[in-house]
Amino acid sequence: MDGLYLASGILAALCLIAILLLIVAQMVARWTGEIFPGAANYAGYAMAAASFFAFANALNRGSHIRVSLVLNALPDRYRRFMEIWCFGIATIVMWYFTYYAYWFTFWSWKFNEVSQAQDATPLWIPQSVMVIGGGILAIALTDHLIHVIFKGDHRITRDLVDQSHAE
C-alpha cells in the first residue's frame, strides 16, 4: 500500500509542476498579446488535484495535524483505544465523503455539467480527482486502522527533516 501512497504523492507533485507551467504559459501569452482562456481555471483544478492526491502520502509521513499531544499523555492501554477511535472516526468520515463525492461526480457526468468559465470543462473531470484522492486517503486510513487494531500501533512515520525546519 505504501507504493500507492507514494505514487499519489508523486502525482500531487506533478500537479504542482503543472500549475507552474500553466502560470508561466499564461504570462508568456500576456507578453505576446495572446489569450490563454481558462488558464486560471486549469491551475485551480490542478491545485485541487494536488491537494487530494497529497492527502494519503502526507498521512503516511506524519504531516497531518494529529492529536499526538493528548495521545502521548495517555497510558499505553488508553492510547491504543483512542488511536482506534480516532482512526475509526476518520475512516468512516472519509469513506462517507468518497461515497457522496462519487455520486456527485456521477451526476455531473450524467447531466453533462460544464464549468461556467471560458474553458467550459466538463466538471466530472476535476471532480473525479476528488473521488480518487479521497478514495486513496480512505484506503490509507483503513490501512492504519487495521494496523492499530491488530498490531497495536499505526504505521505513520515521522519525517524528522521536515519537522526540524519548523523548530
Side-chain angles (χ1 to χ4, degrees):
M1 299 309 284
D2 290 340
L4 175 66
Y5 312 144
L6 179 62
S8 184
I10 291 170
L11 280 173
L14 292 174
C15 288
L16 291 175
I17 292 170
I19 293 169
L20 170 70
L21 295 175
L22 283 165
I23 290 171
V24 169
Q26 189 176 22
M27 289 169 44
V28 169
R30 283 186 189 165
W31 293 335
T32 60
E34 298 295 322
I35 298 173
F36 185 178
N41 294 331
Y42 296 138
Y45 300 149
M47 179 57 85
S51 299
F52 276 93
F53 281 140
F55 286 154
N57 190 37
L59 175 69
N60 247 19
R61 293 182 174 271
S63 298
H64 282 273
I65 297 172
R66 296 185 60 227
V67 288
S68 338
L69 185 67
V70 174
L71 292 174
N72 290 339
L74 294 173
D76 287 339
R77 188 172 66 122
Y78 297 115
R79 181 177 28 216
R80 182 172 183 212
F81 172 75
M82 287 304 293
E83 289 270 2
I84 291 171
W85 187 80
C86 290
F87 276 116
I89 295 296
T91 301
I92 290 168
V93 167
M94 204 59 223
W95 280 115
Y96 181 83
F97 169 83
T98 303
Y99 175 79
Y100 282 101
Y102 166 77
W103 284 109
F104 181 71
T105 303
F106 172 78
W107 288 112
S108 290
W109 171 76
K110 184 88 168 159
F111 291 131
N112 199 23
E113 288 183 299
V114 295
S115 71
Q116 296 178 3
Q118 289 177 332
D119 62 333
T121 301
L123 287 177
W124 68 268
I125 296 170
Q127 290 170 353
S128 64
V129 172
M130 179 177 61
V131 175
I132 294 167
I136 294 171
L137 178 60
I139 290 169
L141 287 166
T142 305
D143 181 22
H144 288 289
L145 173 63
I146 291 170
H147 203 269
V148 167
I149 290 170
F150 290 111
K151 301 283 185 171
D153 198 14
H154 55 75
R155 297 182 318 108
I156 295 174
T157 58
R158 290 197 161 150
D159 194 351
L160 295 177
V161 173
D162 284 346
Q163 290 179 358
S164 67
H165 293 291
E167 295 176 358

